[in-house]
Structure formats: C-alpha cells, structure tokens
Amino acid sequence: VVDTNILLHHMDVLEYLRDDDDDDDDDNDENENGNDDATNPSKPNPHPRRRHRSIADAIVVPQTALEECRHRSLVMYRRIVDLIRSSGDDATRADDKGRKQKKNGGGSGSERCFIVFADVHHVDTQIFHGWKGVSKADEEEGVEDGTTTINDENDARLRNVARFYGEALYDYRRRRRTGARNANAEVVFLTDDAQSRRLASSEQPPPDERPGDAADRGGLYYRARSMRDHVSLLQKEDPSLTLLDLVAQFHSAPGPPMSEGIRGKDGGGDDDSGGRAACYPPHLSSQTLSRGLQTNRYYQGIYRSDRDSHTEGYVTIRRGEDRVAVVIRGKADVNRAVDGDIVAIELHSVDLWLGGARNGGDGSDSGGGGGDGDEEKERGSQSQTADDRNEGHDRQTKKDDAGIAADTAEPSLRDAENIAEEVAVDDEGEELRRPTAKIVGIIRRNFHKNYCGSICTIAVSAAAPEEDDIAPSETELARPAAAAAFESESKMEGERTTMHPHDVIAAKHEREHPDGVTSTVVFFPIDNRIPPILLRTTQRDRLIGMRILVSMDSWPAESEYPLGHYVKTLGVTGTKETETQVLLQEFRIPCEPFPAKVLACLPPADYKIELEPGRTDLRHLPVLSIDPPGCKDIDDALHCIELPNGNWQVGVHIADVTHYVEAGTAIDLEAANRSTSTYLVNKRLDMLPSLLTTDLCSLKGNVDRFAFSVLWEVTPEAEIVNVDFKKSIIHSIAALTYQQAQALIDKPEKDCKGDIQAGAVKRLAKLARKFRSRRINAGALTLASPEVKFVLDSESLNPTDVQAYTLYEANALVEEFMLLANVTVAKKILRHYPTLSILRRHPAPNRSMFDGLIQKAKTRGISICIDDSKKLADSLDAAAEITSDDPYLNQLLRILSTRCMSPAQYFCSGEYQAKDWHHYGLAAPVYTHFTSPIRRYADVCVHRLLAAAIGVAPLPVFLSSKSYLHDLAANMNRRHRAAQLAGRASVQLHTLIFFAGGDEGEGGGVKEEDAYVLDVETASMSEPSFTVMVPRYGIEGRVRLTKIAINDECLVRDPENHRLGYKDAATGKIMASVSVFDRVRVRIWVRSTRDRKELVVDLLEPKILANPHVKDDDVDTEMGASTVTSSGKKKKKKQRISK
C-alpha cells in the first residue's frame, strides 16, 4: 500500500519490472506443491538470484493518495495512471501466452498488479470520531493533540487501508489454515514519512489483543517501511535486483539514515540537516509566503536559468501591465532553485539593482547581490567557495571549447517574450536599472524531468598522498583516499595546469556509504542550466564512461548540490547513437513515435486526391518545384506563364496541410506541441506523420496534390498588378534540384524554344533578380552563415568528408518568391485580423551588440554603421572593396554581423505596437511564415488565418484568444530554437567523429587548415590565446599559446589594435604577432578524456607564437600535447599529423 510521497518521488521504482528474459527457469523457482522454495527450509532455492521481478506482487494505490498526487503533480499522476492501465494489459498478455505454472506468495514471478482502492467511500477506512493523530508513545510522553491538518487525516486514512488489507489477509489465512496459498505474504505500507511510520506501529492492537498466530509477523497486521528500507530487504533476498539506484534520496551523506530522518509529505524539509551546517538560507514556510505574496512583499514567478550557468537567471513578475525580468545571481540568491521551479522572490533595495554606479554599472561583478552596498559585495567576493570558482572556470572552458560556429546571438528577453529587462528608478524615467532579487521560497518544484549526462569519479591513485601536519576534518575523512590523492598531485602540476572543474567537485563530494554497498558520486548534466547532482548508486564502476538519465529528488539546505537517483543508461559516451539520444534529450526534442490517436486522424491508405467543391483546378498550369537533392518533404512549387495582355502570372503553391490536419484534433495538438521538424545530420524528426510529410502533402512531380496558392499578375519589370489567393489542386510537372534548375537558367535562349520548364524557370529568375535588387535597395541585408554539409558513408552513416554549401542562383530564385509570398500573406491576414495575426519580427540590434565588431573592423580600416539596415548593408558592401585581396574576409564580416543580431521571433500582432512588427534583416514592415506548413506549425496557423480571411473556412475558436496565441508563439519560438541548437549539436557530434578518424580512433582525422582570427585575448595577466574560425569546416575555437607563460616579459599585448605579439628579448623587435582578421595555420584534432571527447585547435603558424623556445626547423616535430592521466600525472602524447 503506497503513500502519496511514494507516488511523487518513487515512480521509477514502481515502474520497475524485470523482463521475462531476465528470469531464470521459473519452473524451478517453486516446489511441486506451489510453495516458494525460498521459504521452504527443506529444499534450497536453486535460483536464489531470481526471486523478485518487482517491488511487490500487488501494489495498492488508495484513492486518497491518487487524488493528492493529481493535486501536487500532474506529471506523476499521469505516470501512475498509465502504469495502472498497463498492469491490466500485462495480465492480458500473460493470459495470451499462458503461464508455465501458477505463482504463489514469496516469489514475485507473477505479473505486476496494481489495485486502485476507493478508501474515500469504504466504511472500514474512514477516520473515526475523536481521532487525534497522536501515537501512543507520544501520549505517554504527554504530547497533546495539536491542530490536525488535512494531511494528517489523509495519512490516517492511508494507514487504515493498509490495516484493512492486513486484517483481510489474516482472516483469509485463519479460515484456510491448511493449504492456503500466499501463506507467507505480508502487507507493507510504503511511506517516506517517519511520523506516519511511527503511528502505523502504535495504532495497531496492543500485544494482548493481537491475533494468536501473529508471532511470525511481530504481532502486526501490516508493516510500515520507507522505500529505501523495503528495497534494501528485497536486494538482500535477490542480489540481482538493481533497484537501490532508483530510490529517491532526501539526505546527503554523511547524515542520518533516510528511514529515520524524513519528515512530512514531501519526504524531507530544511530542518533535516542531521547536525550538518546549512549551505543555503532556509526557505520560508508556505504560510509566510502566502502572506507575503498577498501584501506584495514577495513576488511569484518561474525561475529560468541562464543557458551557461545554473547560478544565474531571472524570474518574470508583473509590474502593472508590464512583465519585468528580475535578475537572480549567485548561489545564495538562487537558493536551490532549479530551472522551471515556481518560486517566491524578494526584491533587493534599488541601490543593489544592476546598472547603477554603485555596483559597477553593468552588473558584471560576481556574487549574489544579497547584501547592502560595496561592503557586502566585498564580503561576498572573499567568501566565494572553491566550487563557485570551479563552476566559473567550467563555464569559461565550455565557451572556449572548439565547436561549430553559432549563427546568431541569443535572443533577448524583450525580443523573445516581450519582457522588459530594465525599469525606471527616477521620476523622469531617465535612469534605468535591472532589478535584482533573492529567492526566499519554492512554491512548486520542477523535479519531474530526467536529465542526461555522465558521472565524474576520481580514479584510484597509485600512491597515497603524503601526510599533512593539519588534521583532516570530518568531511575530508568521509572522502575517498583517491580523491585526496588526486587533489594533492594536482597541486604540483604548475601554474598552467589545473584540475578540471568536474574533478574538483567530484573530489569533494564523492564518498562511500557505511552500508558498504552504495556510494555517492557526482553527476554532471549536459544542460549547463542544471547543477551537478549527487547520486547514491550501487553500480559506480559500471556507470563510468556511460551516458545516463538521472532524476532530481530533493535539495536539502545542508547539501551543496541537489540529490537525485539513477533512471537508466543510454549508452557508451562518445558513440554516435548514444550522443544523438543525448542531444535529443538535452534540447527536449519530441522523438517518440506518433501515438495511435494521432495516426487515427490520418486518411486511409487508399486515399485518392480529387477535385472538391470550392477548390480551384490549376492542374493545367506548368507547376514545378526546386529543392535540394533527395528532398522528400516538398512544401512549395512555382509556376510562371505569359498572359494574353503581355504580363506574366506567377504562382507560389504551398502544400495544403490544413486539409488533413483539422483544428483541435489529436494530430493538430501533436503538431502544435512539436511545432517544427528537426533536422539532424543523419536523421529527420518530423512534425507530422510520414504519410503526410513525404506523401499526401509533399508536392511531388507528376501527381495531383492539394495546395494553397498565391497568384500574382506582374509586369515583365516585376511590378505587381494584382494578387489572388486560392485553395487549389495542382499537378507538378517536375521536381527539380537546385543544380537542375541552375542548368535551365544557364541554358542559352536559342535552345529553350518549346521547353516549358526552361521558359518558366528563366522567367522566374528574371523576376527574382528584380525583386532582389528592390529589396536590397530598401535595406535588406545580405548576410552569411558558416554552415557546412557532411558526406556520409552509405552504410555506417559516418562522415567521410565535409563540404561547404554551394549556393546557386536557383537558391536565390526560390528564396525571393518565398519571401514575396510570406510578405503578401502577412499583409492580407493583418487587414482582416489586426490583433490576431501570427507574424515574425526581427528587432533592430542594440549598438552594444555591435561595439566589439565595430572596434575590430576599424583596425582594418573598415567602418560599420548600424543606424538602420540600409546603412549596415552599405557598410558591408563597402568593406568588400577594402578586403578585395581576400574575399573570405567580407564573408567573415557578414557572418560576425549576423551573430550580433538576435534571431527572429514569432509573435501575436496584438501584443506589439505596429512599429515593432518590423523585420530588420529583410527590411520588411510585416512578415510571416506561410510557405512551409509541413515542417512548421506557425505556417499551419497562418494558413487557417488566410483561409478565414478569404472566406473559405471559419477561423478556429482558439485562434481568437490572445492569451492562447501568446502561449502558442512562445512554444513555437522555444521549439524552433531548440531544433536549431539540436541541429548544430548534431553537426558538432559528426565533426568530432570526422576528426577522430572513426568512432573510436583518437587523432586519426587530424587536419591542418587555414583559419581567421576573430578575437584576441589582450587583458593583463590573462592566458595568451585567441579565437579562430576555420572556414573549411565551419569550426570556431580558442587557440591557446601554451608555450608562452602568462608573465613572459617578451609577450606583447596590444588591446587597442587587438593584437598579441612576441618580441626578441635582446633587441625588443617583434618577431611574430597575430591580430583580428589575420590568417593563420592551425591543426585540428580530437582529445579524449575520461568522460568526453573535445575538439582542439593548435597553432602551427606563426611558428614563433606556437613555440618561441624552439627553432623554426624543430617546430614541425615538436607539437606534442600535454594531457593529464587518470591518476593526475602529466604525460606527453604525440599527435599524428595527416600527410
């Protein structure tokens, strides 16, 4: 019988069921009388390691616990409901395949059984009048009844359920004393509430009133255990179980055992410190928070961590009609909140808000901001923990790692969610500051997600550290000797070699438990927004080098990091299949198969596309599509014909997805949740089922398809005469690739007579050139991306080559008409639905985002003006003439300009003023997405708006709600960004495989390439280094000059010119230097560590900077890389160089 806290925290244990294949011969598990051999002293169990299949033969879920679970966590409620339903399916499958032999009590070889007990309506489980909720022991000690809460009454009702089953089992055995099945079965009440367990013992009858045959069960109708105690007993009986790892934990070690220390329904509280010093301020009680929220002393909101740190984030609160982002910085102020938690915050005084002179102007100082003035900040800086410094170093390390170059900057909160980041603090509204606050309480935890990552352990050292004069503390005694040894050896490495931050944290927190079975290890999530998690596991050695899923359980005030439990293993770290699962998990990409209710919405397999009433027949038009080779989800097609009056008719035909995806259906809700298709290097995850994506909706050649068409009449000089919108049926005459379309564009006119395809493509190209010229003159930007493509092996799908994308005029042709269609549709739906339209905006960049690029460009004599998009475009065009000797430099400037801008965002037109609808990059007053409904849900919504605007279909009711549209746009932005990041992570993974020379081969794919310097580290006493871009592979990484000491007197730092140099010690002459936009020669290779592989970029030329202490002739052979072995000792590893 399970308590509510078991449902909330131990679903992974309840869901556990050993596979049939894992069971040894079940026939031998019982004797011929059907009794469990394990309980028969006369016959030993021949298979003692296969006694249990799950935690119990039957699990009773009281209605009270189920209702409490639904109130506390819908996620866990849905999981238990699904589990209850699946238990019936398990029984059905067992009946279908037949049982070898019926099972009895003792051995849990039977199928898993869940029972929902309606205790609320059962007479034997009601709370009797006069119940006080105090145990007999407490009464004897004089403890009087206090205020009985609803939780106390629910706990009592759950104990009554356990007693009801215990008494029923006793009566059953008493009636059938001989030959009774399940003779050794017992009723266990599982609860992590220590008080409820004490009451369970005291509420049962005294010894003189207990049943006469109760000696074997200690005179109790049922036993109360914590989940950990129960699972520990099962594992003693059946060592093959691996359940202890799945048990949630609520106390860090060392500390009191879980069975004695847990309080309350949540399975823990801030007061359960076990005598250990608190690492964080206590959270306020719910009553205090409620009063504070009512009086506006505290504010409620969702805590969102920054992408690169779990100790910095923000909470959005209401300030009048506006929403304001309040900054939360530092461990003390974050106070154990995790991304997604609903929290209560208390604002700091205005003088501590970011942006004022008193705190440095930009808030770049470290610390939590939880004190008063400069004195408090100085005190916070001095008290910074080693883990704070390690995490800061870890964030910097991750930023500096080589990887795939980013396309754009991260969107600001104002751009992404229309949230203000600054507020006026004076009456005139001239002084703006970013408000800061501290978290004072957690209203609802967000612990129901599984996090992906790896554990980091300290390898056993060959030699123990030397004894120190200072006596070790109690905490240090609890740490493994290997951790201390590792740390000791690392101190002797020298100033340029430091322990990895993961190793430092692991050394501090890893420890063995007194039970001799479990140990605490540190789990590091892939997602930087999540802090390290302390796991208690029985399989530490098996988990090393694996990617695993972990669930977070609690975060006591005395624990520096949250506590969690192991969920499952994904696979070996570094393998393509495993890392692909990891990136899908990290970015929350929906990758599950479409459920049956979604597939039920699809047309039948023999569905025929035929002309319907209200649809225009355009099958006589020479429609064709132009796409990349191998494209299967063809969203769009084009046509261009001459009209009798000398003008041309141009059509853009888009797949009519809404014909098959009806608003509000299961398939529509699934598409709205997924919001976009995700494209990885080796696979595609579709927004819609494949029947629609690659068949019925795909505008393939030589088949009829339903479409939504935009038809323009234009002059040969690209002047638009009129436009019309039609639901249509089309018949594509060809599905061209970009290369094929380009061949038609280049085909001589004399060879095009009678060629319908060539004539149409040439006319489209002519119009596209004029439309493009017009856009550029209006200020549209021509930007660039470092994107590359892989050539994959046909069998293994491993990358065999990396190539730059080749862009043809045909690419620009398609782009122009898609842009034209999107702008035209945006204007149409806005005229009819000015406050309900789904649009796409691209905000103008802040000057601060461009300051760095502007200063660097000046060192090359290039002036960049960003007053508007037209001036920026002109600046980049002018730079092309200055950098004509190296054409890639201008492309690099365009890539870097793109990065200085936030990405475009979806929004509802009613949320922004018309002046904020503008798309900066396209220089378009209004813009939307209409042309890709197969892979973007925003386009599906726009199709419905357009259909309603032209009167062919009513507008769905939910598209009339501004609040719904706000949430919809937010989800589409989130999913779109996640899909982009997942795609980039997939490219990063395949880049690692490519440079490693295979899945396991280290260094086999070492390459030497030209690179361009993007940034130079010139700060005083900083590590000599600079960042480069490798155009050939689209890689960006930091090059560290490891052969030059930080304090080398010959090192020349020139911040004004963004340059690093090295001078001759005797003459003072600069022997070699690098500055921004210089071309250098680098080597790219893969370094493998215990828990990950990383891409490394080393400098080859200028050789003096690569190694100033070696003659030029020796530099080529002296490119060894220093690494740290698992024992912490340094060794030299030669890297193979490709010929």
Side-chain angles (χ1 to χ4, degrees):
V1 180
V2 294
D3 195 357
T4 306
N5 50 55
I6 301 298
L7 301 182
L8 290 173
H9 303 297
H10 296 286
M11 280 302 304
D12 291 317
V13 181
L14 296 180
E15 290 171 339
Y16 176 88
L17 182 65
R18 189 199 303 273
D19 293 336
D20 290 336
D21 293 340
D22 291 340
D23 242 346
D24 287 336
D25 187 5
D26 288 340
D27 289 331
N28 295 327
D29 287 349
E30 301 164 9
N31 62 24
E32 57 187 4
N33 293 325
N35 294 326
D36 187 3
D37 292 335
T39 60
N40 187 348
S42 64
K43 183 178 180 181
N45 186 355
H47 294 284
R49 297 183 63 83
R50 288 290 184 266
R51 181 171 181 181
H52 298 293
R53 294 191 67 211
S54 61
I55 66 164
D57 293 297
I59 298 174
V60 178
V61 182
Q63 182 180 346
T64 295
L66 200 59
E67 291 298 323
E68 274 193 294
C69 182
R70 181 171 66 175
H71 175 69
R72 302 279 294 282
S73 171
L74 279 176
V75 174
M76 292 301 165
Y77 174 76
R78 293 186 181 114
R79 285 178 68 179
I80 185 61
V81 169
D82 289 344
L83 193 56
I84 292 168
R85 289 172 176 168
S86 68
S87 68
D89 297 337
D90 291 341
T92 302
R93 287 192 295 269
D95 291 340
D96 291 341
K97 69 181 181 182
R99 293 253 180 112
K100 295 179 180 179
Q101 189 174 350
K102 290 185 177 180
K103 308 289 183 180
N104 68 358
S108 42
S110 60
E111 295 294 332
R112 179 172 52 194
C113 174
F114 278 81
I115 301 167
V116 178
F117 185 81
D119 60 292
V120 176
H121 307 291
H122 201 288
V123 64
D124 290 334
T125 56
Q126 301 306 302
I127 304 300
F128 57 84
H129 182 69
W131 177 80
K132 298 188 296 182
V134 180
S135 66
K136 297 291 185 182
D138 290 338
E139 285 184 329
E140 292 174 1
E141 294 178 4
V143 177
E144 298 182 357
D145 178 28
T147 302
T148 302
T149 67
I150 186 64
N151 280 341
D152 296 332
E153 294 182 2
N154 288 340
D155 287 345
R157 188 175 285 111
L158 297 177
R159 293 192 296 273
N160 285 348
V161 173
R163 174 166 177 158
F164 169 79
Y165 273 92
E167 291 177 343
L169 191 61
Y170 165 72
D171 292 340
Y172 169 77
R173 280 195 294 258
R174 186 179 57 181
R175 290 195 305 269
R176 300 183 61 181
R177 288 186 177 275
T178 59
R181 296 179 59 223
N182 303 307
N184 296 286
E186 66 174 352
V187 177
V188 177
F189 176 47
L190 289 180
T191 176
D192 283 340
D193 186 345
Q195 174 69 8
S196 190
R197 291 198 299 272
R198 285 193 290 269
L199 289 171
S201 177
S202 65
E203 288 172 350
Q204 297 192 59
D208 55 346
E209 299 178 13
R210 290 172 183 168
D213 63 344
D216 293 339
R217 293 174 289 110
L220 300 176
Y221 286 115
Y222 68 95
R223 298 184 184 278
R225 295 186 190 130
S226 69
M227 179 61 85
R228 183 167 293 278
D229 287 346
H230 181 68
V231 169
S232 296
L233 289 175
L234 296 182
Q235 290 214 171
K236 287 181 180 179
E237 297 175 353
D238 185 352
S240 65
L241 287 178
T242 56
L243 273 172
L244 268 178
D245 280 20
L246 303 182
V247 177
Q249 56 171 334
F250 302 97
H251 287 285
S252 56
M258 182 176 175
S259 58
E260 297 299 325
I262 294 177
R263 310 285 185 205
K265 297 296 291 182
D266 285 332
D270 284 352
D271 57 340
D272 296 327
S273 62
R276 300 179 64 197
C279 300
Y280 299 92
H283 291 150
L284 300 180
S285 66
S286 57
Q287 294 84 355
T288 304
L289 291 178
S290 179
R291 290 194 298 269
L293 291 172
Q294 292 175 2
T295 60
N296 289 333
R297 179 180 179 182
Y298 308 132
Y299 295 88
Q300 177 177 320
I302 300 176
Y303 173 70
R304 294 297 182 190
S305 295
D306 287 352
R307 178 167 295 279
D308 295 320
S309 172
H310 66 272
T311 58
E312 295 181 9
Y314 68 92
V315 174
T316 302
I317 64 173
R318 285 282 181 183
R319 189 173 183 266
E321 295 297 322
D322 298 327
R323 295 186 300 159
V324 179
V326 179
V327 177
I328 314 293
R329 306 185 72 189
K331 280 188 173 183
D333 283 358
V334 173
N335 196 9
R336 295 172 283 155
V338 177
D339 184 72
D341 284 351
I342 300 177
V343 301
I345 64 172
E346 182 179 13
L347 292 174
H348 291 315
S349 58
V350 175
D351 62 333
L352 293 177
W353 290 8
L354 305 180
R358 196 170 179 185
N359 54 21
D362 60 354
S364 59
D365 56 296
S366 61
D372 297 323
D374 297 329
E375 180 181 344
E376 175 63 25
K377 286 193 293 184
E378 182 178 352
R379 183 167 63 250
S381 177
Q382 293 172 349
S383 62
Q384 187 183 34
T385 67
D387 281 357
D388 286 327
R389 294 189 292 273
N390 291 327
E391 286 164 10
H393 174 67
D394 191 21
R395 289 197 300 274
Q396 186 61 42
T397 300
K398 290 175 181 177
K399 289 180 180 179
D400 292 344
D401 283 347
I404 300 304
D407 292 330
T408 62
E410 287 296 320
S412 67
L413 291 175
R414 177 171 289 281
D415 295 336
E417 302 181 43
N418 196 23
I419 298 173
E421 297 184 80
E422 296 179 323
V423 296
V425 294
D426 58 346
D427 295 337
E428 294 77 16
E430 295 180 355
E431 184 181 357
L432 299 178
R433 293 192 184 184
R434 300 179 64 191
T436 62
K438 62 181 179 180
I439 293 174
V440 295
I442 308 293
I443 296 173
R444 176 166 293 184
R445 281 292 192 186
N446 185 39
F447 280 176
H448 307 311
K449 295 179 181 178
N450 293 333
Y451 302 104
C452 183
S454 302
I455 65 171
C456 180
T457 65
I458 304 302
V460 178
S461 176
E466 297 180 1
E467 293 185 3
D468 196 271
D469 295 333
I470 302 176
S473 66
E474 179 182 352
T475 302
E476 289 172 335
L477 288 173
R479 293 164 48 193
F486 190 90
E487 188 171 312
S488 175
E489 292 182 3
S490 297
K491 292 177 181 178
M492 298 181 287
E493 290 296 331
E495 63 178 4
R496 293 296 303 278
T497 303
T498 59
M499 289 179 65
H500 193 280
H502 289 186
D503 292 329
V504 177
I505 296 173
K508 180 178 180 180
H509 295 280
E510 184 177 341
R511 55 180 52 84
E512 301 288 345
H513 286 266
D515 59 13
V517 177
T518 59
S519 58
T520 291
V521 295
V522 185
F523 167 85
F524 291 92
I526 296 293
D527 190 345
N528 297 334
R529 295 172 298 179
I530 306 303
I533 301 173
L534 304 183
L535 301 184
R536 187 171 178 178
T537 178
T538 61
Q539 49 181 342
R540 176 180 61 189
D541 294 339
R542 290 166 54 188
L543 297 181
I544 294 176
M546 310 296 286
R547 291 294 195 193
I548 62 175
L549 289 183
V550 164
S551 181
M552 209 178 293
D553 300 322
S554 64
W555 198 340
E558 74 276 5
S559 177
E560 193 162 6
Y561 295 112
L563 312 179
H565 67 270
Y566 162 87
V567 176
K568 73 173 183 177
T569 299
L570 294 179
V572 179
T573 299
T575 60
K576 183 174 61 178
E577 293 74 15
T578 299
E579 297 301 330
T580 298
Q581 291 186 63
V582 168
L583 69 89
L584 293 175
Q585 179 76 23
E586 176 187 1
F587 296 109
R588 307 291 173 187
I589 304 297
C591 54
E592 302 81 11
F594 289 98
K597 60 183 179 180
V598 170
L599 300 179
C601 299
L602 296 174
D606 58 350
Y607 181 79
K608 301 295 183 182
I609 295 178
E610 299 175 347
L611 183 62
E612 298 176 343
R615 196 174 284 275
T616 303
D617 190 350
L618 300 180
R619 287 177 288 185
H620 62 284
L621 296 174
V623 175
L624 50 82
S625 61
I626 305 174
D627 293 281
C631 181
K632 296 181 178 180
D633 52 343
I634 303 176
D635 290 280
D636 55 86
L638 302 162
H639 88 269
C640 183
I641 61 173
E642 295 186 36
L643 297 175
N645 63 0
N647 289 338
W648 295 346
Q649 184 191 65
V650 176
V652 169
H653 311 274
I654 307 301
D656 190 5
V657 171
T658 55
H659 175 79
Y660 304 99
V661 181
E662 186 177 346
T665 58
I667 192 171
D668 181 52
L669 297 177
E670 181 71 18
N673 176 51
R674 298 191 179 212
S675 284
T676 181
S677 295
T678 301
Y679 294 85
L680 307 181
V681 171
N682 58 339
K683 67 167 60 177
R684 183 187 70 233
L685 300 168
D686 293 324
M687 183 183 76
L688 296 169
S690 60
L691 178 63
L692 300 183
T693 299
T694 61
D695 190 5
L696 295 180
C697 289
S698 184
L699 305 183
K700 299 185 292 186
N702 302 312
V703 292
D704 292 351
R705 288 292 180 261
F706 291 139
F708 210 149
S709 302
V710 184
L711 305 173
W712 296 271
E713 180 182 347
V714 300
T715 68
E717 298 303 317
E719 297 293 337
I720 296 176
V721 178
N722 60 52
V723 63
D724 201 3
F725 307 90
K726 299 286 186 182
K727 287 266 191 170
S728 63
I729 182 172
I730 64 171
H731 184 96
S732 176
I733 63 172
L736 304 177
T737 65
Y738 287 124
Q739 294 91 330
Q740 291 170 335
Q742 188 62 45
L744 295 178
I745 294 174
D746 297 336
K747 191 173 183 180
E749 289 287 348
K750 61 184 180 63
D751 298 333
C752 296
K753 293 182 180 179
D755 190 335
I756 297 176
Q757 295 182 22
V761 172
K762 280 184 170 293
R763 284 189 291 271
L764 289 169
K766 181 180 179 181
L767 291 174
R769 295 185 198 110
K770 297 181 181 297
F771 284 133
R772 181 177 179 81
S773 176
R774 201 170 295 159
R775 279 197 312 109
I776 297 299
N777 291 335
L781 298 174
T782 303
L783 300 175
S785 167
E787 198 171 8
V788 296
K789 66 177 181 179
F790 289 96
V791 178
L792 302 180
D793 180 82
S794 59
E795 295 183 0
S796 67
L797 295 182
N798 284 338
T800 59
D801 193 12
V802 181
Q803 300 175 353
Y805 273 107
T806 302
L807 296 178
Y808 302 93
E809 185 182 355
N811 295 76
L813 181 159
V814 175
E815 179 186 16
E816 283 306 316
F817 286 103
M818 296 306 107
L819 293 175
L820 178 63
N822 287 335
V823 170
T824 304
V825 170
K827 293 176 180 177
K828 178 67 175 179
I829 62 176
L830 264 175
R831 282 196 295 268
H832 292 265
Y833 301 103
T835 62
L836 301 175
S837 293
I838 294 291
L839 301 178
R840 191 158 174 84
R841 61 188 294 268
H842 184 211
N846 295 326
R847 183 173 182 84
S848 60
M849 301 172 71
F850 264 92
D851 281 344
L853 179 58
I854 291 173
Q855 293 300 320
K856 293 171 186 176
K858 282 183 179 179
T859 65
R860 289 300 182 103
I862 299 171
S863 176
I864 296 179
C865 179
I866 63 167
D867 292 345
D868 56 49
S869 59
K870 174 62 175 172
K871 291 182 179 179
L872 175 58
D874 292 342
S875 298
L876 295 175
D877 290 340
E881 299 179 5
I882 300 174
T883 60
S884 58
D885 57 328
D886 190 346
Y888 184 77
L889 277 182
N890 188 254
Q891 183 179 352
L892 185 60
L893 281 174
R894 296 179 188 274
I895 291 173
L896 297 178
S897 296
T898 306
R899 287 203 205 166
C900 295
M901 305 177 196
S902 297
Q905 300 285 318
Y906 296 110
F907 71 102
C908 171
S909 57
E911 287 195 279
Y912 288 83
Q913 298 179 5
K915 64 182 179 64
D916 295 325
W917 297 347
H918 187 264
H919 196 292
Y920 180 83
L922 298 175
V926 293
Y927 188 70
T928 192
H929 273 165
F930 165 76
T931 54
S932 296
I934 292 178
R935 59 185 178 89
R936 291 190 305 233
Y937 189 73
D939 303 59
V940 175
C941 296
V942 171
H943 276 230
R944 289 174 178 151
L945 287 163
L946 181 60
I950 65 176
V952 300
L955 184 68
V957 175
F958 58 81
L959 289 182
S960 301
S961 167
K962 288 184 180 179
S963 61
Y964 176 85
L965 291 175
H966 168 81
D967 294 339
L968 184 65
N971 184 64
M972 291 189 298
N973 287 327
R974 185 165 53 251
R975 292 292 196 192
H976 181 75
R977 185 62 176 165
Q980 286 181 320
L981 295 175
R984 190 195 306 168
S986 180
V987 173
Q988 171 80 0
L989 168 62
H990 284 75
T991 301
L992 281 172
I993 294 173
F994 175 74
F995 282 104
D999 286 337
E1000 302 297 335
E1002 180 183 339
V1006 175
K1007 303 291 182 183
E1008 296 180 6
E1009 288 291 338
D1010 288 341
Y1012 288 81
V1013 178
L1014 302 182
D1015 187 33
V1016 179
E1017 182 59 68
T1018 58
S1020 173
M1021 296 307 294
S1022 62
E1023 179 184 25
S1025 61
F1026 53 90
T1027 304
V1028 298
M1029 165 84 75
V1030 184
R1032 172 74 171 81
Y1033 301 111
I1035 291 171
E1036 180 181 342
R1038 181 163 289 272
V1039 176
R1040 291 178 169 84
L1041 305 180
T1042 57
K1043 301 296 183 179
I1044 302 177
I1046 295 175
N1047 57 354
D1048 193 323
E1049 295 181 353
C1050 295
L1051 179 64
V1052 179
R1053 306 175 192 267
D1054 185 358
E1056 185 176 349
N1057 294 307
H1058 298 271
R1059 182 172 60 183
L1060 274 179
Y1062 198 83
K1063 64 183 180 182
D1064 186 281
T1067 65
K1069 179 182 177 181
I1070 300 294
M1071 297 188 294
S1073 67
V1074 291
S1075 57
V1076 288
F1077 305 130
D1078 278 355
R1079 184 165 57 184
V1080 296
R1081 190 75 174 169
V1082 297
R1083 174 183 291 123
I1084 309 165
W1085 56 283
V1086 173
R1087 175 168 55 211
S1088 295
T1089 60
R1090 291 198 307 273
D1091 59 346
R1092 64 174 181 165
K1093 293 180 179 180
E1094 58 185 354
L1095 207 60
V1096 180
V1097 182
D1098 287 336
L1099 181 65
L1100 294 179
E1101 297 178 4
K1103 295 179 181 180
I1104 294 297
L1105 291 178
N1107 191 347
H1109 309 297
V1110 179
K1111 295 180 180 180
D1112 289 353
D1113 295 339
D1114 298 331
V1115 172
D1116 294 333
T1117 59
E1118 189 67 27
M1119 295 305 296
S1122 297
T1123 61
V1124 179
T1125 67
S1126 59
S1127 64
K1129 295 181 179 180
K1130 202 172 187 180
K1131 71 176 183 178
K1132 207 76 167 179
K1133 183 181 291 186
K1134 290 285 186 178
Q1135 299 300 322
R1136 296 194 301 276
I1137 304 174
S1138 60
K1139 295 182 181 179

